């Protein structure tokens, strides 16, 4: 069953928690800067041509490498979530309190916004936003995002949050980066392959285009929540209590 714990202000405003929020802000900023920057660079090099297979691979690799580094540099401080859907999925399994998770969300979204503002300032280019492909509707986009985010958060649980992970914990950032890259290759031409509300939110804020942002909150949060419920409840079974230090 769901193991949500609300938490207290004392824990959420402890020195360790404040450091965790700053870590999430910085790591998400660096991830989004590289991810969105790769899309801007592709547009610059191709005079805004439509995304081709080589461009898709380049963008997927950029996201995979950036997330690998982001998770690795934040893991020992905040757990290296970099993603509200990951935070939500871990909250469902009792790994982080709701209150602390909300502050994680704020830090992640602010990191994404600042990254996009910096990109807009230094490149003078428009910030590309996520949106479903022509011929797809919002529901289809949500389902795509549910599936790929489920895969991401399930991987996070299996390699980083599971107390029985053993040596898998040492390769968790690589596995997490790989699944994101693979999912972008699969879903990029359809839903954009976000898996991350913060990754989509920053570009939407800076560009002023909120027309499809709901897809990239609903889909990833549902997918992340399902992964947390299934892996946390069925495979892990129980946790002793919610703590930001439980993951990884």
């Amino acid at each position: 069953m769901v193991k949500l714990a609300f938490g207290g202000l004392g824990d959420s405003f402890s020195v360790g928690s404040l450091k965790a929020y700053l870590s999430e802000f910085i790591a998400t900023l660096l991830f989004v800067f590289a991810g969105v920057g790769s899309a801007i660079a592709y547009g610059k090099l191709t005079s805004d041509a439509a995304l081709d297979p080589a461009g898709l691979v380049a963008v997927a690799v950029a996201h995979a490498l950036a997330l690998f580094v982001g998770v690795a540099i934040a893991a020992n401080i905040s757990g290296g979530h970099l993603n509200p859907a990951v935070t939500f999925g871990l909250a469902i399994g009792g790994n982080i309190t709701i209150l602390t998770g909300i502050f994680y969300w704020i830090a992640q979204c602010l990191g994404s916004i600042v990254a996009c503002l910096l990109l807009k300032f230094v490149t003078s280019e428009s910030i590309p936003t996520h949106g479903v492909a022509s011929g797809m509707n919002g529901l289809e986009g949500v389902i795509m995002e549910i599936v790929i985010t489920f895969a991401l958060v399930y991987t996070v649980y299996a390699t980083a949050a599971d107390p029985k992970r053993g040596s898998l914990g040492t390769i968790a950032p690589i596995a997490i980066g790989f699944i994101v890259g693979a999912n972008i290759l699969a879903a990029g031409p359809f839903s954009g392959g976000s898996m991350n509300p913060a990754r989509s939110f920053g570009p939407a804020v800076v560009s002023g285009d909120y027309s499809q942002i709901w897809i990239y909150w609903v889909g990833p949060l549902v997918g992340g929540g399902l992964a947390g419920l299934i892996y946390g409840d069925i495979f892990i079974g129980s946790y002793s209590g919610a703590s930001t230090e439980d993951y990884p």
Side-chain angles (χ1 to χ4, degrees), residues 51 53 56-57 59-60 133 136 144-145 147-148 151 178-195:
L51 189 65
L56 177 62
V57 171
V59 170
M136 286 188 72
M144 178 70 82
E145 289 294 319
V147 174
I148 60 178
F178 276 9
I179 191 62
V180 164
N183 282 341
I184 290 175
L185 290 175
F190 302 101
S191 70
S194 173
M195 298 163 274

Side-chain angles (χ1 to χ4, degrees), residues 40 51 58 89 111 170 212:
I40 293 174
L51 189 65
T170 62
Q212 298 190 56

Side-chain angles (χ1 to χ4, degrees), residues 170-237:
T170 62
I171 66 167
I174 300 175
I176 294 167
F178 276 9
I179 191 62
V180 164
N183 282 341
I184 290 175
L185 290 175
F190 302 101
S191 70
S194 173
M195 298 163 274
N196 186 335
R199 165 63 180 81
S200 299
F201 185 68
V205 170
V206 174
S207 68
D209 181 4
Y210 300 94
S211 59
Q212 298 190 56
I213 189 62
W214 67 273
I215 295 172
Y216 303 101
W217 279 95
V218 174
L221 291 181
V222 172
L226 286 172
L229 182 63
I230 293 173
Y231 199 104
D233 196 48
I234 295 177
F235 296 112
I236 294 178

Side-chain angles (χ1 to χ4, degrees), residues 18-120:
L18 294 176
K19 289 180 179 179
Y21 307 149
L22 179 59
S23 175
E24 286 292 305
F25 170 81
I26 294 172
T28 306
L29 187 158
L30 298 177
F31 164 64
V32 174
F33 189 91
V36 176
S38 68
I40 293 174
Y42 174 81
K44 179 74 171 179
L45 293 173
T46 62
S47 300
D48 294 320
L51 189 65
D52 61 12
L56 177 62
V57 171
V59 170
V61 169
H63 280 80
L65 293 175
L67 186 60
F68 159 55
V69 173
V71 172
I73 64 176
N76 293 333
I77 305 169
S78 65
H81 298 193
L82 284 70
N83 183 340
V86 171
T87 300
F88 181 65
L90 291 168
I92 292 292
N95 292 271
I96 186 171
T97 65
I98 295 174
L99 187 57
T100 298
I102 290 172
F103 288 113
Y104 267 50
W105 280 21
I106 294 171
Q108 292 156 357
C109 288
L110 286 176
S112 180
I113 292 170
V114 172
C116 293
L117 287 172
L118 288 170
L119 283 166
K120 188 173 182 64

